Amino acid sequence: MPAQTRVLTAIVGSYPKPRYVYGRSGRSLLDSFGFALDRRRQEVGSDEFAKRLDKAALAAIADQNRAGIDIMTDGEERRGHYVLHIVNRLDGVDACNRKRISMRGGTTEQDAPRVVGRIRYKAPVVVDEFLFTKEHAKGLAKIGLPGPSTVADCVADEHYGGDRKQLACDYADALHHEVEALIAAGCEIIQFDDPVLLRYPDAAQAWGLQALERCFAGLEDRATFVVHICRGYPNKPLERKGIAYKANQDYYRDILTWLAQSRLDVVSIEGAASKLDVSILGAIGRKTVMLGVIDVGENDVESVESLVERANDALRYVPAGQLILAPDCGMLELTHASARKKLANLALAARAVNASLR
């Protein structure tokens, strides 16, 4: 990735799925742990479904091109779940015979894939997805991969005897092969999605960061490495029940402080829905921060003026060359009309901010 000299824009990962791919809500897909997309594939047929996924990815990329987003994905249209899309294709994982587990600090339960042997790499998983994005994107193509701590929280361990650190490290070693393959294919920006780092900050500092850096050890100078630490996808049903499911944002300052000393290049955090106190951004040191300024849990579209104001607030604590504006998290739960307009306003806001800095 070229040296950054201005405020950039990015999409975190996911984009709404068209009805011809998945007819129900993004929330229902998340609740199924992504397996509903596999059932949809079986209903439609693999060849026809692959065509529909390509069409959806092209549409997601076109919306980002039209808006003028700097760092882009394919909307993760081919993914039922951002973690299991990767994990289920590794050796040692049984994705068919699942087991009910408690996740995210006990806030949710899921029928998760079982780890029945040592986790190992088999073959490239998302290289083709990256190449597709790179071919059609006007901005820089980015690929997202689940981080080790989050993977350890999303599977039913029947091999490691509860040793989450060893499971995470073996996964990191497997993922290292995928990172190498992506870089060989020309990928300049690789993002690790590791929200669990925020839920268990002690474990994150003790071994979570070690496992994360193991994913790209020795490759630091060959790509830009991002970690996205969201507080959890919006979940309106849990909110209506009064269940606190979001990770504690008070940990962000501490995490930014110790990630400032890490080998990562960019740290991505939520900031919109929670109205985060952006004074914590000063803790990032010389790293770049990807700040969530778009609420992905509400279809109401942020005005350009409000986004400019939020960006200017952030620029009091980090320079323009260290700020990327983005949604809080993936946009899967939004309507297409809302997502499209939110991205357009995000790009317009960034242009306005950059023009005022000249």
Side-chain angles (χ1 to χ4, degrees):
M1 177 176 167
Q4 184 178 336
T5 58
R6 58 185 175 87
V7 176
L8 299 180
T9 56
I11 184 172
V12 172
S14 67
Y15 202 64
K17 282 185 166 45
R19 290 192 173 276
Y20 55 79
V21 169
Y22 184 73
R24 300 180 63 193
S25 69
R27 180 70 255 163
S28 72
L29 182 58
L30 291 169
D31 288 342
S32 81
F33 221 23
F35 290 111
L37 200 68
D38 294 332
R39 293 193 291 271
R40 182 68 176 143
R41 180 181 287 105
Q42 293 169 0
E43 293 169 1
V44 173
S46 295
D47 290 345
E48 171 61 24
F49 201 58
K51 293 177 183 176
R52 295 187 186 188
L53 292 176
D54 279 353
K55 179 181 177 181
L58 280 173
I61 293 169
D63 280 356
Q64 294 169 77
N65 282 339
R66 194 176 298 112
I69 299 299
D70 295 300
I71 301 172
M72 304 169 55
T73 75
D74 65 352
E76 297 182 355
E77 296 291 357
R78 298 173 177 83
R79 305 188 189 195
H81 191 271
Y82 76 103
V83 176
L84 303 190
H85 186 74
I86 310 297
V87 173
N88 289 349
R89 303 186 196 187
L90 300 175
D91 263 342
V93 177
D94 180 354
C96 298
N97 303 296
R98 302 186 288 274
K99 181 178 179 180
R100 196 79 172 167
I101 64 168
S102 174
M103 293 170 45
R104 300 294 194 266
T107 60
T108 186
E109 289 187 350
Q110 295 283 5
D111 291 326
R114 295 158 54 238
V115 176
V116 295
R118 184 179 177 186
I119 295 177
R120 290 187 176 92
Y121 188 70
K122 288 196 292 189
V125 179
V126 293
V127 172
D128 286 346
E129 295 174 22
F130 161 72
L131 290 172
F132 185 96
T133 307
K134 182 182 179 184
E135 179 182 356
H136 299 286
K138 293 180 180 178
L140 288 168
K142 177 185 70 172
I143 200 77
L145 300 166
S149 300
T150 294
V151 167
D153 192 56
C154 287
V155 295
D157 171 26
E158 296 184 359
H159 175 75
Y160 289 92
D163 189 343
R164 292 160 62 90
K165 178 181 178 181
Q166 188 58 54
L167 189 161
C169 286
D170 280 354
Y171 167 78
D173 290 343
L175 202 63
H176 194 279
H177 294 287
E178 184 75 3
V179 171
E180 288 182 307
L182 284 164
I183 290 174
C187 189
E188 298 180 59
I189 307 175
I190 299 174
Q191 176 177 299
F192 302 99
D193 300 293
D194 223 346
V196 167
L197 291 177
L198 191 60
R199 292 189 180 273
Y200 311 107
D202 292 339
Q205 195 164 8
W207 57 263
L209 178 59
Q210 175 189 351
L212 182 58
E213 290 184 331
R214 193 164 173 154
C215 295
F216 59 96
L219 304 170
E220 292 86 349
D221 295 332
R222 298 183 59 189
T224 296
F225 294 102
V226 183
V227 61
H228 174 58
I229 310 175
C230 73
R231 298 176 58 222
Y233 262 111
N235 192 320
K236 297 301 181 183
L238 290 184
E239 288 177 18
R240 286 192 289 269
K241 294 178 182 178
I243 297 174
Y245 65 94
K246 287 275 191 179
N248 188 348
Q249 71 172 358
D250 292 343
Y251 293 143
Y252 267 146
R253 186 185 296 275
D254 290 339
I255 287 179
L256 291 182
T257 298
W258 52 264
L259 285 180
Q261 308 303 317
S262 73
R263 289 181 285 174
L264 291 153
D265 301 296
V266 182
V267 181
S268 167
I269 60 174
E270 288 189 15
S274 63
K275 297 179 174 56
L276 182 71
D277 178 0
V278 293
S279 68
I280 70 164
L281 300 184
I284 199 62
R286 297 183 179 180
K287 305 292 184 184
T288 295
V289 64
M290 193 162 101
L291 176 65
V293 294
I294 295 291
D295 187 343
V296 297
E298 299 291 344
N299 283 307
D300 292 341
V301 177
E302 294 83 357
S303 68
V304 173
E305 293 76 16
S306 68
L307 293 173
V308 167
E309 182 179 359
R310 189 63 165 159
N312 285 331
D313 285 345
L315 288 171
R316 294 167 57 198
Y317 304 98
V318 292
Q322 288 177 228
L323 181 63
I324 301 172
L325 303 178
D328 270 351
C329 190
M331 306 180 84
L332 177 65
E333 297 186 67
L334 297 173
T335 66
H336 272 94
S338 172
R340 192 178 299 118
K341 184 61 175 174
K342 282 173 180 272
L343 288 185
N345 283 5
L346 182 71
L348 287 172
R351 287 178 208 141
V353 170
N354 286 322
S356 70
L357 296 174
R358 290 176 190 151

